[in-house]
């Protein structure tokens, strides 16, 4: 695959896996066992772009497989699972070779693979293949899901190298100062929006480009000790030359070697990854329970029957005989595990399969720490649901249904309850696709009264295909929600799914109002912005609707469950990202690549969008000039004049324009700044101006043989040509020839210019030259008349260009413009992909994390559908696959508070029907009377948002007027759309003056 095409398809994944992601295309992986877990592993690897994936299964598909095997359709029943799955997986990614193998796994066959994954394999086969793979240096993974538990094992051989164990790329920052001393202290400039802990004690660093203390350049890596967020100790620099300026300090990440035991030894002495030491006894008991299950299957030729006490007791006896750990076996856990081990749950298969696929990616790419060596998923808290313990063998017996694997755990009556659910899924992106796929397998809303609504405003893009399972290349530009709904309907024709293409927000509350949310059984949030997540949380809180909020960032993921009156409402998932920088920093004193990228984005807008829109507005209506804000009217007039004058005749005029602009930005502009503030300039006596966050820049000299210089000129010329609708030319050599012959006038400093610094008020500007504005306006009006008389006037309507992160030419310009600016200021450059991520505000993503997060969320759906009111059964989850940490913990209980002598929950709200018996709307006075009559409160202030409905301190006439008004009348002039349910707040005489809490909100339902 071509480089740019590969980046367009896999860019979000490449941000997670780094350079190691390019190794995927040459990898060969075997996935054995194509039921739910194996299907999830295989799908993730195909989407991720693994070169060759071989599917192995000797069994045939049956109806019960469809509880979790999302690749199989009704027509595949009776066919070989691997062959049926191969046909679907091959369509997922044409760049991946997918083949099926139905024979034995011989040693000769296994030798061609880099990684072997076994699912659904008997222990004897696991041991045989595990021994062979260990001896041959083949990475070996076992992934198994049984009922409400899952098992994952990794053996990457005796000597496995992790090239990049940490998340992200190694830190590289600009040096601010280096002291002479023992130890020497390096002060550096932190990257914008990055955590302060860029370095850790013992990290190795190298230096480059340091002026003055040149002895540090090109030395072997030096260990550091961290003093704080911006200072490092680096050893003895007392004999070095004094530091002058510049330089970069770069973190050196050395490869790490890991050694693993083969499965045969690891079974006896297991190393189990746990989030906390207190979890180890349960994981050890599960470790033994899985071995006992293998023994039971070998003995009986089947798994234990669901809820069959005799079978569970036999598994416990086998576990007792196998127990070799310190401490005591958790016998209740073993019996609970055995009683549902014949069950198949799509969410559990999704979690274990996704985590196994992540380990495969680690084995291939050398990115992140591999699992060492066992991990157990324990979701047996689901069996603590009230009434679940009374389920019988008959309740959970097979019905010949696709849901038999789920019925084996929760019973047939629960399956019927699942089918009647009414859920809203907001977002059909990566997480949304996985949620919808799981819901289809679970049978959520698959009954006549069920209702599953999915809404998303977006359309399918090429970059979605590597992690959003429901989409194919033919779906590009189609509405996501429509395509996703059709895809899950194909997976399960019984599911009652409806696609919407709306945003869920304040603008659509007429569609998605209180009544809509109150009618739902739950909401699944799969949105990718903090603003949208916060809005959904607020709406579900107000309407007391259960909410599952799922999110990912790179390899990390989280799930939060919000249950009315049972859990604490979760606030925003994190702090809002403020990407704005002081304009004077961006314009004149950048010191991070984020600053130069913002400068490049401003350049893009200021060259190819805003002036073009101004020209088109002016040509359409000359009154446009009279409507300009005084603050920047002169600047806009000059931009309009320049764009009208600069109209190119052909492509080569565009190249010449781009070259002149290069000169003005990267040479003349910097030279002018240095004319105003020379390198030796002092801010005050003895204090250099160019110090701290102000780095002294240097002008660049254009070189047509410099790739970055040429990239800028050609990208700028293409965009300029697009604005004026001129045909471009791709002849780079011809452009270089033209540029070598161009002679530009030498730089001449301008006097009297003002350059603002951080200490000055950015808003303070010299008054606009009124006469100059009048002259320019007259000039432009005359130009307009002449142009309108021209026969080619239609060509003067120019094309404004808005920055689009998925347009390569746009990113070419941004990358080159930013890196040239960075070179001016000695800032480390950013490659094309990194520039695209930062400028486009792209959130890194990977299919393995999104699939695991969706599986974790769906485990909570079971509890919500059951109607669980036991807080101890619910789990929030945090997932960190890069260091193999899975945290599942009980949500906090709701906050309570005292108000007017009574304890309230944060979920409490007062509700009243704001309508009289005769059907008329009540007045403000009647609201106050209701509060007095119902709660004994005397209200002194009544508000709806920021609108004052009543204030006891108003004069009598104002009070009488307000009290007599109907609620809708008091809000009629606010400009806000009137809602059917109003949320009012109030202050009471009885309220404690020192109380920190207000009373519960009052919800008034209008007629």
């Amino acid at each position: 695959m071509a480089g740019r095409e590969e980046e367009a398809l896999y860019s979000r994944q490449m941000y997670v896996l780094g350079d190691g992601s390019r190794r995927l295309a040459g990898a060969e992986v075997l996935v054995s066992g194509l039921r739910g877990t194996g299907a999830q592993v295989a799908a993730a690897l195909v989407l991720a772009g693994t070169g060759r994936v071989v599917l192995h299964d000797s069994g045939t598909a049956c109806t019960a497989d469809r509880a979790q095997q999302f690749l199989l359709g009704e027509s595949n029943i009776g066919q070989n699972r691997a062959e049926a799955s191969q046909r679907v997986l091959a369509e997922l990614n044409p760049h991946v070779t997918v083949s099926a193998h139905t024979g034995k796994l011989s040693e000769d066959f296994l030798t061609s693979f880099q990684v072997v994954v076994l699912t659904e394999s008997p222990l004897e086969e696991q041991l045989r293949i595990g021994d062979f793979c260990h001896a041959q240096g083949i990475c070996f993974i076992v992934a198994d899901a049984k009922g409400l538990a899952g098992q994952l094992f990794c053996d990457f051989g005796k000597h496995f190298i992790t090239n990049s164990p940490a998340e992200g790329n190694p830190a590289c920052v600009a040096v601010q100062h280096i002291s002479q001393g023992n130890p020497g202290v390096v002060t550096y400039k932190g990257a914008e929006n990055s955590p302060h802990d860029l370095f850790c004690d013992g990290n190795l660093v190298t230096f480059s480009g340091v002026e003055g203390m040149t002895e540090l350049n090109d030395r072997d890596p030096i260990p550091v000790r961290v003093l704080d967020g911006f200072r490092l100790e680096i050893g003895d620099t007392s004999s070095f030359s004094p530091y002058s300026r510049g330089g970069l300090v770069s973190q050196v990440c050395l490869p790490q070697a890991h050694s693993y035991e083969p499965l045969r030894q690891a079974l006896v002495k297991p190393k189990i990854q746990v989030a906390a030491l207190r979890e180890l006894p349960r994981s050890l008991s599960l470790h033994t329970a899985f071995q006992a299950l293998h023994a039971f299957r070998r003995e009986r030729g089947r798994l234990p029957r669901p809820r069959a006490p005799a079978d569970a007791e036999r598994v416990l006896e086998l576990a007792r005989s196998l127990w070799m750990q310190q401490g005591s076996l958790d016998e209740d856990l073993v019996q609970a595990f055995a009683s549902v081990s014949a069950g198949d749950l799509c969410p559990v298969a999704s979690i274990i399969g996704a985590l196994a696929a992540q380990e495969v990616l680690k084995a291939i790419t050398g990115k992140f720490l591999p699992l060492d060596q066992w991990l157990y998923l324990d979701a047996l808290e689901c069996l603590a649901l009230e009434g679940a313990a009374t389920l019988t063998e008959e309740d959970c017996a097979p019905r010949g249904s696709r849901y038999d694997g789920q019925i084996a755990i929760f019973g047939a009556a629960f399956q019927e309850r699942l089918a009647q659910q009414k859920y809203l899924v907001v977002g059909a992106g990566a997480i949304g696709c996985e949620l919808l796929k799981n819901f289809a397998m679970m049978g959520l809303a698959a009954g006549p009264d069920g209702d599953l609504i999915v809404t998303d405003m977006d359309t399918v893009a090429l970059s979605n295909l590597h992690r959003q399972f429901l989409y194919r290349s033919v779906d590009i530009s189609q509405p996501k929600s429509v395509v996703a709904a059709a895809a899950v309907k194909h997976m399960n024709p019984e599911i009652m799914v409806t696609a919407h293409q709306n945003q869920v927000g304040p603008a659509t509350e007429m569609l998605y109002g209180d009544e809509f949310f109150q009618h739902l059984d739950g909401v699944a949030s799969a949105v990718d912005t903090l603003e949208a997540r916060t809005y959904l949380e607020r709406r579900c809180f107000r309407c007391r609707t259960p909410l599952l909020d799922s999110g990912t960032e790179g390899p990390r993921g989280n799930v939060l469950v919000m249950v009315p009156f049972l859990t604490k409402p979760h606030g925003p998932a994190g702090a809002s990202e403020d990407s704005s920088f002081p304009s004077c920093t961006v314009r004149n004193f950048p010191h991070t690549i984020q600053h130069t990228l913002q400068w490049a984005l401003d350049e893009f807008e200021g060259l190819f969008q805003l002036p073009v829109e101004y020209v088109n507005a002016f040509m359409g209506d000359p009154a446009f000039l009279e409507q300009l804000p005084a603050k920047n009217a002169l600047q806009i007039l000059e931009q309009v004049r320049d764009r009208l004058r600069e109209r190119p005749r052909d492509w080569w005029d565009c190249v010449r324009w781009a070259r002149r602009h290069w000169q003005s930005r990267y040479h003349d502009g910097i030279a002018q700044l240095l004319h105003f503030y020379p390198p030796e300039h002092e801010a005050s006596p003895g204090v250099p101006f160019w110090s701290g966050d102000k780095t002294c820049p240097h002008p660049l000299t254009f070189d047509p043989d410099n790739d970055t210089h040429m990239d800028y000129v050609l990208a700028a010329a293409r965009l300029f040509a697009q604005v004026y609708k001129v045909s471009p030319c791709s002849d780079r050599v011809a452009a270089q020839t033209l540029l070598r012959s161009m002679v530009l006038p030498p730089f001449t400093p301008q006097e009297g210019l003002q350059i603002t610094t951080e200490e000055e008020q950015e808003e303070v500007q010299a008054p606009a030259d009124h006469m100059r504005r009048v002259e320019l306006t007259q000039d432009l009006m005359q130009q307009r008349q002449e142009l309108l008389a021209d026969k080619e006037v239609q060509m003067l309507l120019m094309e404004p260009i808005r920055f689009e992160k998925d347009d390569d030419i746009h990113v070419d310009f941004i990358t080159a413009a930013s890196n040239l600016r960075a070179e001016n200021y000695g800032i480390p450059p950013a490659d094309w992909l990194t520039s695209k991520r930062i400028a486009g505000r792209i959130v890194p993503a990977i299919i393995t994390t999104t699939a695991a997060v969706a599986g974790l969320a769906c485990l909570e759906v079971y509890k919500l559908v059951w109607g669980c009111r036991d807080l101890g059964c619910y789990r929030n989850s945090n997932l960190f696959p890069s260091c193999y940490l899975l945290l599942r913990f009980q949500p906090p209980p709701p906050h309570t508070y005292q108000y007017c002598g009574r304890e309230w929950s944060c979920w409490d709200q007062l509700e009243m029907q704001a309508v009289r018996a005769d059907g008329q709307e009540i007045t403000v006075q009647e609201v106050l009377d209701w509060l007095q009559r119902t709660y004994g409160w005397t209200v002194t202030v009544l508000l709806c948002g920021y609108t004052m409905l009543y204030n006891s301190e108003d004069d009598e006439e104002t009070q009488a007027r307000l009290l007599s008004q109907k609620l809708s009348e008091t809000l009629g002039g606010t400009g806000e759309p009137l809602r059917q349910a109003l949320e009012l707040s109030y202050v009471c005489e009885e309220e404690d003056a020192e109380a920190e809490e207000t009373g519960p909100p009052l919800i008034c339902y209008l007629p």
Side-chain angles (χ1 to χ4, degrees), residues 619 644 782-791 793 796:
M619 294 301 296
L644 291 174
Q782 184 177 349
Q783 270 190 277
R784 183 177 182 275
Q785 289 179 348
E786 293 172 359
L787 291 169
L788 288 174
D790 195 310
K791 294 180 181 180
V793 68
L796 290 169

Side-chain angles (χ1 to χ4, degrees), residues 270-566:
K271 288 191 286 185
I272 301 177
Q273 185 83 21
V274 291
L277 196 58
R278 65 179 179 274
E279 297 177 7
L280 185 58
R282 282 184 68 89
S283 291
L284 286 169
S285 293
L286 272 177
H287 181 75
T288 302
F290 267 90
Q291 294 179 65
L293 192 66
H294 281 293
F296 181 94
R297 195 169 194 171
R298 187 166 56 248
E299 177 182 283
R300 304 285 179 90
R302 61 173 174 82
L303 290 171
R305 287 187 294 268
R307 305 283 178 168
D311 284 0
E313 182 63 31
R314 178 54 185 156
V315 173
L316 177 57
E317 291 173 1
L318 292 167
R320 288 175 182 145
S321 68
L322 292 166
W323 180 254
M324 293 183 293
Q325 311 302 325
Q326 293 183 347
S328 58
L329 177 69
D330 189 333
E331 297 191 353
D332 290 341
L333 179 145
V334 174
Q335 284 192 301
F337 165 75
S339 70
V340 295
S341 59
D344 294 321
L345 294 183
C346 181
V348 175
S350 293
I351 298 165
I352 294 300
L355 296 181
Q358 181 64 59
E359 292 307 297
V360 175
L361 298 182
K362 292 178 185 179
I364 297 169
T365 65
K367 180 69 175 178
F368 303 140
L369 292 173
L371 173 63
D372 187 21
Q373 286 190 263
W374 294 94
L375 179 82
Y376 284 91
L377 172 68
D378 176 3
L380 291 166
E381 77 277 354
C382 292
L383 296 182
L385 299 170
E386 185 178 359
T390 63
L391 289 172
T392 65
E393 189 172 351
E394 183 180 351
D395 294 329
C396 302
R399 264 72 172 168
S401 159
R402 67 178 294 163
Y403 308 117
D404 277 351
Q406 205 160 246
I407 290 171
I409 298 172
F410 296 111
F414 176 78
Q415 190 61 48
E416 293 177 7
R417 200 181 312 167
L418 263 173
Q420 308 310 317
Q421 293 296 295
K422 296 173 175 59
Y423 261 72
L424 169 68
V425 177
V426 186
I431 297 176
C433 282
E434 292 295 322
L435 285 171
L436 290 167
K437 176 257 290 180
N438 290 350
F439 287 167
M441 296 296 99
M442 294 161 61
L444 186 83
D449 296 324
D451 191 12
L452 178 60
I453 298 171
V454 54
T455 185
D456 196 310
M457 296 174 64
D458 205 0
T459 56
V460 179
L462 177 63
S463 61
N464 301 148
L465 301 184
H466 83 277
R467 69 192 191 285
Q468 299 182 13
F469 167 74
L470 301 180
Y471 308 131
R472 307 292 184 267
S473 57
V474 296
D475 300 320
I476 289 175
S477 299
Q478 297 301 308
K480 282 186 174 181
S481 59
V482 174
V483 176
V488 296
K489 188 78 172 176
H490 179 74
M491 289 180 182
N492 186 346
E494 296 175 339
I495 195 165
M496 308 299 287
V497 60
T498 306
H500 291 187
Q501 298 175 51
N502 306 313
Q503 182 184 30
V504 179
T508 56
E509 286 188 5
M510 296 303 290
L511 288 173
Y512 308 114
D514 286 1
E515 186 177 350
F516 173 84
F517 274 91
Q518 290 164 355
H519 181 67
L520 297 172
D521 293 301
V523 174
S525 169
V527 294
D528 56 4
T529 69
L530 182 62
E531 181 183 10
R533 295 177 79 174
T534 302
Y535 176 81
L536 277 175
E537 187 271 337
R538 190 168 66 246
R539 293 292 287 137
C540 290
F541 174 69
R542 156 85 170 266
C543 298
R544 298 169 176 173
T545 305
L547 171 67
L548 286 163
D549 180 45
S550 308
T552 67
E553 183 176 1
R556 303 183 180 197
N558 72 289
V559 176
L560 299 172
V561 57
M562 188 175 81
V563 187
F565 297 101
L566 193 64

Side-chain angles (χ1 to χ4, degrees), residues 849-927:
T849 299
T850 53
V853 161
L856 290 164
C858 288
L859 286 176
E860 304 311 304
V861 171
Y862 289 130
K863 302 162 191 177
L864 291 172
V865 174
W866 192 277
C868 175
R869 301 304 302 167
D870 180 0
L871 181 63
C873 287
Y874 288 97
R875 296 289 184 270
N876 288 342
S877 300
N878 287 331
L879 179 64
F880 304 91
S882 59
C883 57
Y884 238 95
L885 191 60
L886 172 59
L887 301 173
R888 300 182 71 236
F889 51 93
Q890 179 180 305
H895 168 66
T896 60
Y897 61 95
Q898 294 289 326
Y899 184 78
C900 290
R902 175 178 166 182
E903 184 175 80
W904 301 85
S905 164
C906 61
W907 282 96
D908 286 328
Q909 57 190 31
L910 315 180
E911 297 183 356
M912 70 174 296
Q913 296 297 323
V915 58
R916 300 179 190 141
D918 61 1
Q920 295 298 307
E921 183 185 331
I922 66 173
T923 64
V924 172
Q925 178 67 65
E926 288 171 294
V927 174

Side-chain angles (χ1 to χ4, degrees), residues 599-653:
W599 181 88
L601 285 167
D602 293 345
E603 274 280 284
F604 190 101
E605 184 182 65
L607 290 173
F608 310 119
Q609 180 191 335
L610 294 180
V612 182
E613 292 173 345
Y614 298 150
V615 168
N616 288 347
F618 168 62
M619 294 301 296
D621 181 8
F624 164 76
L625 299 181
E626 301 170 5
Q627 302 163 5
L628 298 177
K631 180 180 176 181
N632 53 1
L634 189 59
Q635 178 187 0
I636 293 174
L637 289 169
E638 290 173 342
Q639 288 178 331
V640 172
R641 177 203 61 193
D642 292 345
R643 283 297 172 270
L644 291 174
R645 286 181 177 176
E646 290 171 339
R647 184 184 174 197
R649 295 164 299 176
D650 55 26
W651 164 251
W652 304 113
D653 276 354

Side-chain angles (χ1 to χ4, degrees), residues 70 107 144 276 347 372 458 663 676 708 736 809 935 971:
F70 49 89
E107 293 183 355
D144 205 357
D372 187 21
D458 205 0
Q663 190 73 10
F676 201 85
T708 306
Q736 286 176 305
I809 298 298
Y935 296 98
L971 298 170

